[in-house]
Amino acid sequence: MALEMALDTFGDVTFGPDGTLKPQDQVIRDVVEQAVLADQVGVDFIGLGEHHRDDFAISAPETVLAAIAAKTSRIRLGTAVTVLSSDDPIRVFQRFSTLNALSEGRAEVILGRGSFTESFPLFGFDLSDYETLFNEKLDLFTRLLREARVTWSGSIRPPLRNQPVYPSLSQPLKAWIGVGGTPESVARAVHYNLAVIFAIIGGAPSRFRPFVDLYHRACDQLGRDPQPIAVHSPGHVAATDEAAREEIWPGYKALHDRIGRERGWPPTDRAHFDREISHGSLYVGSPETVARKIADTVKALGLGRFEMKYSSGPMPHDAQMRSIELYGTRVMPMVRDMLS
């Protein structure tokens, strides 16, 4: 398949022109404006992450995606990710089948367990049921994707008997599993015949090659055609390498250090940041620099899609808009030329 070039955001709460943090409602409106620009400059897909925190504005991505669908014509629309463990798979299916109808078949869903756990207590789930919730809900969701009437039983809800769910899909709904990098997650994706997107947010991307090879071996063993493989990584594009680094650094540090305080990581420093750009999974620089690094990753892992998280903590909206424009008009054509 032709390489797809994508973007995603968590709706990071950003600084406004006066240097104070914007309210979440304005951030959500900014995300819609960013997605419209991405559509205009030719980006293939935009994903919105689901979070339930004060530093990320998007808790109901399908609603925001519906607003984007009404203002765009070609870009594909999905999540990054939908936290299936703490949601109802039937309602997730209904929301995405509705989005698929509104967008004339442009909807996608990326399913995952999420890297944050706030949704579990918020919606009344016990973290000790982490594995069971995801496994059973994924099993039910994949049946909803492929069966007009579903019969299913498990431990998390009453059984279903020959149950139709509406609105039904008039066009197929593309579904992915977001994977942090475990053999079990890769095997699960193959078992359910779903596409895989690896979240590579640190270290050399090439370290994920064994997981890609495992995916293909598992497909061969089950006699299945492999689905596309994608990578999600953070990045930022500006006119020059120096400008890109200076624009993203304050937001990158603020985001990393906030999460680090919650998880026991040490504060990040400029040396670590520079190493991630030079040797890791931070795609920051001029269009030429970012394009070269993306092309190298695509070749190293055999990707069908590269997805860059263009938001980085409180980095201002106007810097994100410039990055999106350069990604679509400069980076994407250069990547495709490098791979041709």
Side-chain angles (χ1 to χ4, degrees):
M1 61 174 287
L3 176 68
E4 295 180 350
M5 297 287 289
L7 292 169
D8 66 52
T9 178
F10 298 165
D12 305 47
V13 172
T14 57
F15 285 125
D18 63 355
T20 64
L21 291 172
K22 289 185 176 182
Q24 289 192 336
D25 58 350
Q26 182 58 57
V27 173
I28 289 171
R29 291 190 290 271
D30 288 347
V31 168
V32 174
E33 184 180 354
Q34 291 157 13
V36 170
L37 176 60
D39 181 60
Q40 293 169 348
V41 298
V43 175
D44 295 310
F45 169 87
I46 188 158
L48 308 185
E50 174 199 342
H51 294 85
H52 304 272
R53 302 164 50 90
D54 64 353
D55 48 352
F56 300 128
I58 301 171
S59 62
E62 303 93 338
T63 304
V64 185
L65 290 166
I68 294 168
K71 295 187 173 188
T72 58
S73 60
R74 44 158 302 281
I75 195 168
R76 296 187 63 81
L77 310 163
T79 46
V81 298
T82 292
V83 185
L84 186 63
S85 306
S86 56
D87 212 330
D88 182 324
I90 294 176
R91 293 297 285 149
V92 172
F93 173 82
Q94 290 176 321
R95 296 195 298 265
F96 276 93
S97 61
T98 300
L99 177 63
N100 212 37
L102 288 170
S103 64
E104 299 184 357
R106 290 188 282 141
E108 300 185 7
V109 58
I110 301 177
L111 304 167
R113 290 185 269 194
S115 59
F116 296 89
T117 59
E118 288 86 354
S119 63
F120 283 79
L122 180 63
F123 298 118
F125 294 100
D126 192 328
L127 273 171
S128 66
D129 298 327
Y130 190 81
E131 291 290 336
T132 300
L133 287 168
F134 186 71
N135 290 335
E136 291 198 13
K137 290 182 178 186
L138 181 62
D139 185 69
L140 174 53
F141 186 84
T142 54
R143 295 190 188 207
L144 293 165
L145 284 177
R146 294 158 184 164
E147 300 173 15
R149 290 178 173 270
V150 174
T151 297
W152 182 91
S153 63
S155 66
I156 59 171
R157 56 153 296 140
L160 299 171
R161 306 277 186 226
N162 198 33
Q163 178 68 54
V165 178
Y166 305 109
S168 57
L169 291 169
S170 60
Q171 300 182 65
L173 174 65
K174 179 75 175 177
W176 304 69
I177 290 186
V179 174
T182 66
E184 295 79 12
S185 296
V186 174
R188 185 184 293 115
V190 176
H191 173 75
Y192 287 107
N193 199 24
L194 299 175
V196 172
I197 178 164
F198 291 104
I200 308 180
I201 58 175
S206 58
R207 66 192 174 90
F208 276 70
R209 184 70 218 192
F211 296 111
V212 173
D213 294 339
L214 172 63
Y215 175 80
H216 286 288
R217 287 198 307 273
C219 286
D220 287 343
Q221 290 171 2
L222 292 178
R224 290 188 172 154
D225 292 332
Q227 298 281 339
I229 292 174
V231 159
H232 148 100
S233 291
H236 180 64
V237 192
T240 66
D241 289 350
E242 181 180 5
R245 292 184 185 219
E246 293 309 311
E247 286 178 1
I248 193 176
W249 165 243
Y252 176 88
K253 179 172 175 55
L255 177 61
H256 186 283
D257 289 356
R258 159 126 191 208
I259 296 171
R261 287 191 296 272
E262 298 170 358
R263 300 184 181 183
W265 304 341
T268 194
D269 57 27
R270 189 61 185 251
H272 169 83
F273 169 76
D274 289 336
R275 284 195 302 272
E276 279 297 323
I277 294 173
S278 300
H279 305 294
S281 296
L282 194 51
Y283 295 75
V284 172
S286 68
E288 295 82 1
T289 296
V290 174
R292 191 177 306 111
K293 188 165 186 175
I294 291 173
D296 289 344
T297 299
V298 170
K299 287 186 285 188
L301 299 179
L303 302 180
R305 174 185 287 178
F306 180 85
E307 190 168 315
M308 187 181 82
K309 180 181 182 286
Y310 65 87
S311 58
S312 183
M315 184 171 63
H317 169 59
D318 58 353
Q320 295 182 44
M321 291 288 279
R322 289 193 298 271
S323 181
I324 291 167
E325 182 175 11
L326 289 170
Y327 185 84
T329 61
R330 300 280 307 283
V331 174
M332 288 170 48
M334 282 191 283
V335 170
R336 289 176 171 140
D337 284 346
M338 291 173 185
L339 295 173
S340 63

